[in-house]
Amino acid sequence: MMAAAMAEQEGSKGSARNRGGVQRVEGKLRASVEKGDYYEAHQMYRTLFFRYMSQNKHAEARELMYSGALLFFSHGQQNSAADLSMLVLEALEKSEAKVTEELLENLAKLFSLMDPNSPERVAFVSRALKWSTGGSGKLGHPKLHQLLAITLWKEQNYYESRYHFLHSSDGEGCANMLVEYSSTRGYRSEVDMFVAQAVLQFLCLKNKSSASVVFTTYTEKHPSIEGGPPFVQPLLNFIWFLLLAVEGGKLTVFTVLCEQYQPSLKRDPMYNEYLDRIGQIFFGVPPKQSSSYGGLLGNLLNSLMGAGDEDEDVDDGPDDSSPIELD
């Protein structure tokens, strides 16, 4: 008993000494960065990372790289910071750490500090999304997508922000971003098209809850849309009726609706393609033998809608069953 207690005491002392040593090293690293010895500090961070990893101290390695990356970002050392950010991901991948909101927020923080035009940022976000779903090839954790979307929105990168919102569960955030996007970059005559595309794509991703929220929030908050429903714009009325039809699940209602609003649906050649997929998911319409579109547009549509995906289960969350590209 006494021997075990002494061993435990020695172990705790060793752990405390080790932590004290780590803190001293961190202090030296911080001092090196503060003095401008960036290269030396960067190399020392890397050395410590691989030392920790070889000892299976994955959490310590990850935390040290995260604090180091933030330190380098604060001194404008983008390359060193991006390199340590990738090491954070490496530690996560090799440790098989469970996905937590704190870890997702840490990854989003690193993403937000990276140069928006750097190739490292593209590599980082791709790898982070893959890790967030266990490397399963799915499209990424909805919470991480939401955090990325918010960062891109702040940067006024509406196009990519929209992509990530579509893979989150944040219909309200998506709508608010689209209101700003439409108001600052779009034509007044196309205010209805911004939300129509988002609703149709949410439905293609089997996320009818976010489709409904994005429509309601957008139409309530957009300064160029007068009260409704019904709306002045026929396309908005179509989307309103479509969401009601999806809830009801009656094929005849869906069919008549699409026929009656063909003039509005012809404003974008993709609308009817989206509706073909929506018909399959929510109304039991058999898939067409072949798409009316070939080449690049056909490939885009297939990747968006997950052509060949046999799983037609519908839920209220984002569907991650297949790769997606958005126009």
Side-chain angles (χ1 to χ4, degrees), residues 2 15 36 53 59 81 84 106 123 134 139 155 163 201 207 225 254 280 285-286 292-293 312:
M2 186 169 290
S15 177
M53 293 297 285
L84 298 193
N106 287 350
L139 295 169
E155 295 171 0
Y163 167 85
Q201 290 185 339
N207 189 350
I225 296 176
F254 174 70
Q280 294 167 35
V285 177
S292 57
Y293 293 97
E312 296 298 342

Side-chain angles (χ1 to χ4, degrees), residues 289-302:
Q289 290 299 311
S290 61
S291 172
S292 57
Y293 293 97
L296 194 61
L297 190 56
N299 292 336
L300 171 71
L301 189 66
N302 288 339

Side-chain angles (χ1 to χ4, degrees), residues 185-232:
R185 304 280 176 87
Y187 294 105
R188 186 182 174 88
S189 61
E190 294 180 348
V191 294
D192 50 351
M193 298 180 76
F194 276 81
V195 72
Q197 185 186 44
V199 170
L200 294 173
Q201 290 185 339
F202 267 127
L203 290 175
C204 286
L205 293 168
K206 308 175 188 175
N207 189 350
K208 64 181 180 180
S209 175
S210 293
S212 180
V213 171
V214 75
F215 180 74
T216 302
T217 307
Y218 183 91
T219 53
E220 286 177 353
K221 293 192 175 182
H222 201 294
S224 298
I225 296 176
E226 297 176 11
F231 302 94
V232 173

Side-chain angles (χ1 to χ4, degrees), residues 38-39 41-43 65 68-69 72-73 77-86:
Y38 302 125
Y39 178 80
H42 182 192
Q43 295 308 308
M65 294 307 102
F72 278 117
F73 276 128
Q77 298 301 301
Q78 278 283 330
N79 291 338
S80 295
D83 180 58
L84 298 193
S85 297
M86 296 302 281

Side-chain angles (χ1 to χ4, degrees), residues 109-232:
K109 174 75 170 177
L110 295 174
F111 173 82
S112 72
L113 294 169
M114 288 183 182
D115 178 355
N117 299 313
S118 68
E120 290 84 5
R121 197 190 211 197
V122 176
F124 177 83
V125 74
S126 174
R127 208 164 147 188
L129 286 168
K130 185 176 180 180
W131 170 79
S132 73
T133 45
S136 62
K138 291 185 178 182
L139 295 169
H141 195 286
K143 179 63 178 179
L144 182 55
H145 275 296
Q146 180 196 28
L147 295 169
L148 297 173
I150 291 169
T151 289
L152 291 161
W153 177 11
K154 289 176 181 175
E155 295 171 0
Q156 298 185 332
N157 186 342
Y158 301 112
Y159 182 82
E160 289 191 26
S161 174
R162 184 180 170 284
Y163 167 85
H164 289 289
F165 269 125
L166 277 170
H167 293 291
S168 75
S169 300
D170 187 5
E172 184 176 359
C174 182
N176 288 324
M177 182 277 294
L178 288 173
V179 168
E180 183 179 309
Y181 189 9
S182 166
S183 301
T184 58
R185 304 280 176 87
Y187 294 105
R188 186 182 174 88
S189 61
E190 294 180 348
V191 294
D192 50 351
M193 298 180 76
F194 276 81
V195 72
Q197 185 186 44
V199 170
L200 294 173
Q201 290 185 339
F202 267 127
L203 290 175
C204 286
L205 293 168
K206 308 175 188 175
N207 189 350
K208 64 181 180 180
S209 175
S210 293
S212 180
V213 171
V214 75
F215 180 74
T216 302
T217 307
Y218 183 91
T219 53
E220 286 177 353
K221 293 192 175 182
H222 201 294
S224 298
I225 296 176
E226 297 176 11
F231 302 94
V232 173

